[in-house]
Amino acid sequence: MDEAQSLARRASDRLLAERAADGDVDAFTALVRRHGGIVRAYAVKVLGSPDAADDVVQDTFVRAWERLDELRDPSAVRAWLMRIASNRAIELLRARKPEAELPEHDAPATARPGPADAVEAGMVADDLSQALRRLPARQRECWLLAQFGGLSYAEIAAQLGIPATTVRGQLARARRTLIGEMEAWR
Amino acid sequence: MNGDSDGTRVPGLAEAFEPERLDGHTIEELGEYLDAGRSPHDASIEDSPGCRIALDALRRLRERSWEMLAAQAGRDAGREQGWIAAVLANISREARAGRDVPLGSGLPDTRLEVTEGAIRGLVRAAGDSAGGGLVGRVRLVGDVTVPGAPVRVEVAASAAWPEPLHPLAQRMRARILDQLARHSELNVTAVDVTIEDIHAGDEAEPGASR
């Protein structure tokens, strides 16, 4: 068993993050393996497809390595990684869709058949995933950044270029819609 | 869906967020309250049945969301993980090197140095080799760049349950002192080992099975 695997079996996030911050590449590798899946799944949701998700994950971990000494609470390394991934994914999203093309925040969502649907087609249906895709883009982004990225209203507002009060309203709408759809699954 | 098994009518979830059911509160407020860990305790929310129902729904959405992400990660786990190798190829090991620590070469005009990062690695390996624990953070306190300057080594460690803590700390300390004496010229005045955490124990000693 390699050293990274041995560490990964026993070490907490905090221990791995502390060792990685001190330069332990095996500990960093263990962190990459432990959290890479979740970070990538998050990137897929934000980007709307798996296409550039690997780039986002790769960039996230390379940035994380460079900034490890900025991590104040090593036990919260996953939340910190999700925050870095949020920034990177939104950067990519903005690069693809210039401001002029972003939908008005209350525009009704249209069904978006796309690569994500093809990928999911052969897999177990995930009702929340589908409900998420049906949300208007602005609501979806606010919800993803709050729910998984752990960003504050102010941070989401800065990322998306909208007022914090708008973020608050969008998040509430998204939650209400998603919860309403949850009812249908019971 | 407006009935449960005992025939009592409970509001459907879609109705749960109607303003009149929230006793003057809004879904924004309830979301923020939940995100803050329901602290500090707000009696006007906690004593409202309508708010409790809505909070419960928000909490279940949150749990379901992480399950969704974990399920996606699980589906991806079998995929080719080439991106991991790409990450490791792209990180600069020098990023964590720290200060240059001199080693005497015995030769005129020749400086040998080892990085602080390498010394930390040495301390980690020594502490891990004590068995029964894992080294976490390592700090070299003092001016390591000056030969002979006094240096204190501070180590945080995690013990493998149910390893007795004090003997573990002593063992780690002894191993670290020994290895630093053999492989560096640091003037180590103290090695402080603090056991800060406990992790699940292992049958095998660290490093015993490769």
Side-chain angles (χ1 to χ4, degrees):
Chain A
M1 154 182 10
D2 70 31
E3 187 58 38
Q5 286 172 324
S6 171
L7 274 174
R9 273 186 29 236
R10 298 173 290 161
S12 65
D13 273 356
R14 176 185 172 181
L15 194 91
L16 291 178
E18 288 183 349
R19 287 173 75 118
D22 280 349
D24 184 350
V25 176
D26 290 320
F28 181 70
T29 302
L31 281 173
V32 172
R33 289 186 185 148
R34 183 179 286 182
H35 297 296
I38 287 283
V39 172
R40 186 179 180 278
Y42 175 48
V44 171
K45 294 301 177 209
V46 175
L47 296 171
S49 85
D51 293 350
D54 281 351
D55 287 340
V56 170
V57 184
Q58 204 172 305
D59 290 346
T60 294
F61 281 102
V62 171
R63 275 190 196 184
W65 171 259
E66 289 162 6
R67 299 177 185 175
L68 270 166
D69 39 20
E70 293 171 26
L71 173 57
R72 278 184 294 275
D73 178 6
S75 65
V77 63
R78 185 176 79 169
W80 183 71
L81 288 169
M82 296 293 269
R83 175 175 290 268
I84 296 174
S86 299
N87 295 339
R88 190 68 194 109
I90 292 292
E91 275 173 30
L92 224 65
L93 217 51
R94 290 299 154 257
R96 274 188 203 165
K97 293 192 297 184
E99 280 306 316
E101 292 175 28
L102 286 175
E104 289 296 309
H105 45 86
D106 273 348
T110 52
R112 300 196 306 153
D117 289 314
V119 167
E120 302 256 18
M123 301 170 179
V124 174
D126 186 325
D127 297 317
L128 179 55
S129 289
Q130 290 173 31
L132 193 56
R133 279 205 289 281
R134 285 193 293 269
L135 284 178
R138 181 58 40 83
Q139 285 184 31
R140 179 172 54 251
E141 288 168 1
C142 288
W143 185 81
L144 285 168
L145 292 179
Q147 169 64 48
F148 297 125
L151 273 56
S152 67
Y153 295 149
E155 288 167 332
I156 296 172
Q159 283 287 348
L160 301 181
I162 57 180
T165 48
T166 303
V167 172
R168 192 172 189 247
Q170 291 291 295
L171 180 58
R173 273 199 182 87
R175 283 172 164 167
R176 185 174 176 162
T177 301
L178 292 174
I179 285 170
E181 306 233 8
M182 273 172 74
E183 171 177 293
W185 313 335
R186 288 203 283 167
Chain B
M1 184 145 323
N2 51 13
D4 67 12
S5 55
D6 72 359
T8 310
R9 185 180 185 281
V10 298
L13 285 175
E15 298 169 4
F17 293 101
E18 294 297 328
E20 57 271 18
R21 294 198 187 275
L22 300 182
D23 293 322
H25 293 283
T26 61
I27 182 172
E28 286 90 337
E29 287 173 45
L30 294 181
E32 287 155 14
Y33 183 64
L34 187 68
D35 291 343
R38 296 171 86 151
S39 170
H41 180 95
D42 183 328
S44 73
I45 291 177
E46 301 285 359
D47 294 345
S48 155
C51 285
R52 296 287 293 269
I53 289 170
L55 276 175
D56 192 58
L58 284 166
R59 183 191 52 76
R60 279 184 289 122
L61 173 61
R62 185 169 65 184
E63 285 170 9
R64 186 75 186 81
S65 305
W66 284 105
E67 285 169 15
M68 170 186 72
L69 228 51
Q72 173 83 54
R75 285 194 291 272
D76 293 339
R79 277 176 70 255
E80 199 261 314
Q81 301 289 318
W83 65 268
I84 294 181
V87 168
L88 298 175
N90 276 295
I91 59 173
S92 157
R93 274 115 170 107
E94 276 62 56
R96 315 244 76 84
R99 297 169 286 182
D100 288 330
V101 182
L103 294 174
S105 67
L107 298 172
D109 302 327
T110 303
R111 269 159 61 87
L112 286 181
E113 281 163 348
V114 62
T115 64
E116 189 173 5
I119 301 273
R120 286 192 223 112
L122 179 72
V123 171
R124 273 196 305 274
D128 288 355
S129 75
L134 284 171
V135 171
R137 173 154 286 154
V138 175
R139 286 288 169 271
L140 303 178
V141 181
D143 193 350
V144 300
T145 63
V146 172
V151 173
R152 190 173 79 247
V153 181
E154 293 179 351
V155 174
S158 178
W161 175 263
E163 193 68 35
L165 305 185
H166 190 67
L168 170 64
Q170 298 286 69
R171 271 199 323 277
M172 283 186 160
R173 200 170 154 277
R175 294 278 185 124
I176 290 167
L177 273 166
D178 177 68
Q179 291 298 299
L180 284 173
R182 284 173 196 270
H183 299 294
S184 83
E185 294 180 5
L186 290 171
N187 174 15
V188 179
T189 57
V191 173
D192 298 332
V193 177
T194 308
I195 311 291
E196 289 186 344
D197 208 349
I198 307 231
H199 60 272
D202 210 53
E203 305 77 61
E205 289 285 86
S209 58
R210 293 289 173 94

